[in-house]
Amino acid sequence: MTASRTVLVTGGAGFIGSNFIRHLLARYDYHIINLDKLTYAGNLDNLRDVEDDPRYRFVQGDVCDAAVVTELMNEASAVVNFAAESHVDRSIEDAGVFIQTQVYGAFVLLEAARQAPSLDRFLHISTDEVYGHSIGDQRFTEEDPFRPRSPYAAAKAGGELQCHAFGETYGLPIVVARPANNIGPYQYPEKAIPLFVTNALDDEPLPLYGEGLQVRDRLFVDDHCEALDLLLHSGEIGEAYNISAGNERANTEVAETILEMLEKPKSLIRFVEDRPGHDQRYAMSSRKLEALGWSPRHDYEAAMEKTVAWYRDHREWWEKIKSGEYREYYERMYGQRLAESKPFES
Ligand code: NAD
Ligand code: TYD
């Protein structure tokens, strides 16, 4: 890609999108347009350090709005679609907005991409959750079928399937990423790891769903950004790529790691009523992506150390979030559950 390229990033004010914009600006002389609706999860504080960069432009808008999407797409040489409602628990409460953004929003972007004069890549961010949960030692490859089990995952699957269909039907230059659970700076503290770390820092309980035995692969966000950089430049058109770190750990082990790192007591762990339809385990093979030359730089310990240290050192970032709408959400989601919770016995 040359210096004159313009990359349209959607959902760039969220966790992964903001890290990816910072990554691109540090490595390339590209122009970046960040189209973000600024939902509860969108936060311009995530990009304070680059907001005055002349190569960066923020546009507040919705990916479902064809007029704004078409205008920006016409300027773009590539698009990276992060925009989504991203929290499984919220999708269980109310799935409508997930369908709207993930499915209809993807359609609006794809329609605009069909008409765009200079677009040569459409990188769509999907998720490992489209495969459903893995049983026993099963490790998903890109050929495995979609069996989404939450409203969030089903909406993500719907968005991704449209990308493949538009690629086949109209020859759009689609590449799809299916990343594992990311951790790192700027993650909204409704997600397990920032919720656990920030609660521990405040000596508040760490609410583990069920028996805390569910397994997730913890991909450090910088490693994810490197993988997306590779896919943006060298991913094969029409292909989907798993992005996994091989850092699979049960939630109880993760909570214990956080408490050890912060020198807080294990008694902060509380077992609460489980999430309905809770996926037991996510596990994928990244061999296809590794064949392009990517491998993660952070093992479990390194990823957790950097993540825990960032929240410890950026209290002002998360305290601002936790004092707003979040309080109401937390009370609704955890109030009753914590009142009925069970203690941890090591
Ligand atoms: P996030 O919730 O932190 O950020 C999402 C961003 O999208 C926010 O800035 C929000 O304002 C914006 N947005 C939401 N609806 C929009 C709309 N209609 N129009 C424009 N902008 C809108 O999410 P994240 O964790 O950064 O996830 C980014 C992407 O990666 C999502 O597509 C998510 O499904 C996918 N993903 C995330 C993970 C993870 O572990 N976080 C793992 C796999 C896949
Ligand atoms: P989460 O961060 O919501 O990601 P996802 O559900 O998309 O994988 O949750 C990660 C894991 O942590 C998942 O197994 C659910 C569990 N979890 C808890 O045990 N307690 C919590 O308060 C949250 C938010 C999640």
Side-chain angles (χ1 to χ4, degrees):
M1 287 192 185
T2 60
S4 60
R5 287 188 68 82
T6 297
V7 181
L8 172 61
V9 176
T10 71
F15 163 46
I16 304 171
S18 61
N19 279 285
F20 188 62
I21 287 174
R22 193 173 293 103
H23 171 99
L24 283 187
L25 288 171
R27 279 170 184 71
Y28 303 98
D29 197 17
Y30 294 166
H31 287 91
I32 311 288
I33 306 171
N34 174 11
L35 172 65
D36 196 297
K37 186 177 172 184
L38 296 185
T39 67
Y40 76 93
N43 185 352
L44 293 179
D45 285 348
N46 297 0
L47 289 159
R48 287 285 166 235
D49 52 333
V50 301
E51 67 185 3
D52 294 328
D53 190 315
R55 300 169 301 157
Y56 170 74
R57 174 154 53 111
F58 173 68
V59 178
Q60 184 169 3
D62 193 327
V63 290
C64 300
D65 179 344
V68 71
V69 165
T70 302
E71 191 184 320
L72 299 177
M73 195 69 81
N74 285 344
E75 290 183 50
S77 21
V79 57
V80 186
N81 182 27
F82 291 100
E85 290 292 334
S86 65
H87 195 35
V88 172
D89 289 319
R90 291 192 194 244
S91 80
I92 294 167
E93 282 192 313
D94 181 6
V97 69
F98 289 71
I99 307 293
Q100 185 69 13
T101 293
Q102 265 90 303
V103 183
Y104 186 70
F107 159 74
V108 170
L109 287 162
L110 290 161
E111 271 294 300
R114 283 176 61 196
Q115 320 294 338
S118 44
L119 195 84
D120 61 24
R121 187 142 305 220
F122 189 117
L123 176 58
H124 178 78
I125 314 307
S126 183
T127 172
D128 57 357
E129 303 193 23
V130 294
Y131 297 118
H133 61 177
S134 71
I135 307 296
D137 291 336
Q138 189 180 19
R139 195 168 279 284
F140 295 115
T141 71
E142 289 80 357
E143 277 65 50
D144 278 306
F146 284 10
R147 292 201 176 91
R149 299 179 70 253
S150 73
Y152 161 75
K156 290 295 292 182
E160 180 184 334
L161 287 173
Q162 285 182 95
C163 291
H164 294 301
F166 273 66
E168 295 291 342
T169 308
Y170 305 110
L172 281 185
I174 304 289
V175 177
V176 169
R178 295 186 191 137
N181 284 64
N182 278 228
I183 62 171
Y186 301 108
Q187 186 169 30
Y188 193 84
E190 66 189 351
K191 304 293 185 334
I193 299 230
L195 188 147
F196 292 171
V197 176
T198 57
N199 277 17
L201 285 163
D202 277 349
D203 299 305
E204 297 262 354
L206 277 57
L208 277 149
Y209 294 163
E211 294 178 4
L213 298 177
Q214 292 77 18
V215 172
R216 297 291 183 268
D217 179 12
R218 314 291 176 170
L219 171 66
F220 192 61
V221 68
D222 289 0
D223 289 332
H224 185 200
C225 289
E226 286 185 9
L228 296 180
D229 180 339
L230 187 63
L231 293 182
L232 181 63
H233 296 95
S234 315
E236 204 176 312
I237 301 293
E239 294 296 317
Y241 295 85
N242 292 342
I243 311 178
S244 71
N247 295 334
E248 288 143 31
R249 296 290 189 286
N251 294 327
T252 26
E253 186 178 341
V254 172
E256 288 185 77
T257 302
I258 290 166
L259 293 169
E260 274 159 27
M261 286 179 175
L262 293 173
E263 297 180 353
K264 298 284 185 179
K266 301 269 165 71
S267 57
L268 283 177
I269 292 178
R270 304 292 306 185
F271 292 107
V272 301
E273 187 190 351
D274 208 350
R275 167 190 285 173
H278 196 167
D279 283 347
Q280 175 57 34
R281 174 170 177 260
Y282 299 139
M284 296 183 294
S285 159
S286 275
R287 286 174 71 171
K288 186 170 169 183
L289 179 63
E290 284 160 18
L292 290 183
W294 176 85
S295 58
R297 293 177 200 274
H298 295 79
D299 63 11
Y300 172 73
E301 282 73 24
M304 289 297 291
E305 253 163 43
K306 283 194 184 173
T307 301
V308 169
W310 191 85
Y311 292 93
R312 191 194 57 219
D313 298 342
H314 293 82
R315 185 175 265 278
E316 74 296 344
W317 180 85
W318 55 267
E319 272 190 341
K320 199 167 150 189
I321 295 170
K322 283 195 152 186
S323 64
E325 177 270 344
Y326 184 89
R327 273 282 128 220
E328 206 181 289
Y329 167 80
Y330 193 83
E331 183 49 37
R332 193 170 77 237
M333 195 61 74
Y334 297 100
Q336 185 67 23
R337 278 167 148 173
L338 280 168
E340 296 167 355
S341 65
K342 297 194 191 80
F344 176 75
E345 284 150 25
S346 51

